Amino acid sequence: MGLWMVWSWLELVSLLILGMVAASCAIWISSKMAARRADTAEHMEASHVFRFENKELVEASKAAQDTLNLEDLDEDIFYQLLDRLSSVFPEMRAAYSEAEATGTAFSLTDVTQTGPVSVSVAFDGPRTQVEITGIPAPLSRKLIVDEDFANATATELRVLRDTVEASPVPTWREDARGTIDWVNRAYLDLIEQAKGLEETTSSWPPARLFASSTVVKPGEPASPKRSSVQLENKTTRWFDVTSFGLGDHSLHFATDSNGIVKAEESLRNFLQTLTQTFAYLPIGLAIFDRNRQLVLFNPSLMNLTSLEPEWLSVRPTLFDFLNKLREKRMLPEQKNFSDWRAKIAQLEKSAVDGTYSETWTLPTSQTYRITGRPHPEGAIAFLFEDITAEISLTRKFRQELELSQSLFDSFSEAIAVFGSDGIVNMSNLAYANLWNVDPNDTLGQISILDATRLWQSETRPTPLWGDARDFIALKGDRSEWYGTAKLQSGETLNCRFTPLTGGATLVGFSVEDMVAAPAQSPVIGDTVLLGS
């Protein structure tokens, strides 16, 4: 009895202990489950959780609801959310398509400057749950981008704005109707300087400064147009306006061209000065630029070539210019056209080298001297000079010389004419036969010293040749005189020395008997003086 009571008591205690343990476990499990439900609810409230059924929004967490508005509820939120998540996770679309086909959940994570971001997608039949963490407003109308990229974009935008505002080039934009809707600081500054536009600087849209700016369609080639702006200080500023098409707008840039305009004006003034200077030259002038187009000519060129000024004003090429001269028979006759073309090419090359100089004998019996000279920047200049009179005079003078030489050669007396400088200017055939030398055939000049040495070598000793040297070198009034010498062969050589105009002296030699001198002329040894 006692043992049974003890056993019963022990069994009761054990049951009580087991019950207490079971109750404790139940309470602990219940509390854990409650905590987990609380955590889940808290997580549900903290994360952006969207639940879709057949891609239509049916439920959203509180944080997700805060990002929605009435406009979003009218839109296709699922695809909108998918597009904006793709800007953060580039692989979002591919991962979603693959997971949707198999119904397998997936997660994507990344780390940005503000911390980690993640997106988890789970499928339950037609239902889809999208959970987003780390992104404050996944459905914000602002693009969801990496903060580093956003900062870089903002910095770039600020730099571009500062650059455009600091640019000295007036820049503006116009819409399709030609209304200005944006300008930079340089454009506004130019408005303030422009005459009669000060009152419009505070109005919008700004005043139009350049009439040459037009609406340009995208893809059209940009072609600068020259335009000017009158300033308050009564000066004019010139600009080259370049326009570009940007969608339904046109962007215009006004580049300062004052320097170019002044240079062009200086060039025009210089050309006018040259034209006025060359207008009175009797020599025809034709200047061709590096492209071999005529850029300058004077009236003498028209007179010499018979080319019309209208035709010259259209700036013909060098080939056309020469071809026109050929048509007007102002070029030497050419037997072969291909040879003539080759000659033109050689003419141009020689002119560039500065070595072209040629005399053209024209079918009109005129004679032109053509000279080619190089000019700066690859240009060449041709000078046309009518030398017909000069050539005629030269020919006439040459004929007279030939006639005089023939007359000299017909004399039996050997004659040599010395200039005032004591150099032989001319001699006849009898002189060459007597002394076995022709001064016209020698390479150098023959002086009186050289001549008397020759005479002395062919005659016996006599003081006659020293007197001859002194007489020819004598300046001032002189009188004709005679003398004789003996040749080495023993023959008597009669000599006469006659002063000519300009200090020249004629010396004559004959081997005949000496001509009797006038009675009043004294005879000194072998020398006879006249007029003493």
Side-chain angles (χ1 to χ4, degrees), residues 229-376:
V229 176
Q230 299 293 328
L231 303 184
E232 275 294 325
N233 56 4
K234 298 182 180 180
T235 60
T236 302
R237 285 189 64 182
W238 289 90
F239 296 86
D240 286 333
V241 180
T242 307
S243 304
F244 299 89
L246 294 174
D248 57 351
H249 287 78
S250 298
L251 191 61
H252 308 275
F253 301 88
T255 307
D256 191 303
S257 59
N258 268 345
I260 298 176
V261 171
K262 290 181 180 179
E264 292 174 349
E265 184 178 356
S266 298
L267 179 60
R268 284 194 299 270
N269 294 336
F270 178 68
L271 290 177
Q272 290 176 359
T273 302
L274 287 180
T275 303
Q276 294 173 359
T277 302
F278 296 146
Y280 302 101
L281 289 178
I283 299 176
L285 175 66
I287 298 180
F288 296 83
D289 61 15
R290 66 170 62 187
N291 298 320
R292 299 300 176 260
Q293 285 187 303
L294 184 66
V295 293
L296 181 65
F297 63 93
N298 65 344
S300 295
L301 181 70
M302 298 182 291
N303 297 333
L304 293 174
T305 61
S306 301
L307 295 177
E308 299 79 6
E310 297 80 10
W311 186 83
L312 293 172
S313 298
V314 300
R315 301 183 63 190
T317 64
L318 176 59
F319 177 78
D320 293 337
F321 178 80
L322 295 175
N323 194 37
K324 194 74 170 181
L325 290 180
R326 181 171 177 266
E327 293 176 1
K328 289 184 173 292
R329 302 186 66 196
M330 299 305 296
L331 281 177
E333 290 289 348
Q334 304 292 331
K335 297 181 180 180
N336 190 300
F337 183 76
S338 60
D339 292 344
W340 178 73
R341 289 289 301 269
K343 192 171 184 180
I344 287 181
Q346 184 62 33
L347 177 149
E348 180 180 352
K349 182 178 182 300
S350 300
V352 171
D353 296 337
T355 58
Y356 182 77
S357 181
E358 193 173 288
T359 300
W360 289 358
T361 301
L362 306 181
T364 57
S365 300
Q366 293 175 289
T367 304
Y368 286 178
R369 179 187 293 120
I370 313 300
T371 306
R373 290 290 183 267
H375 268 234

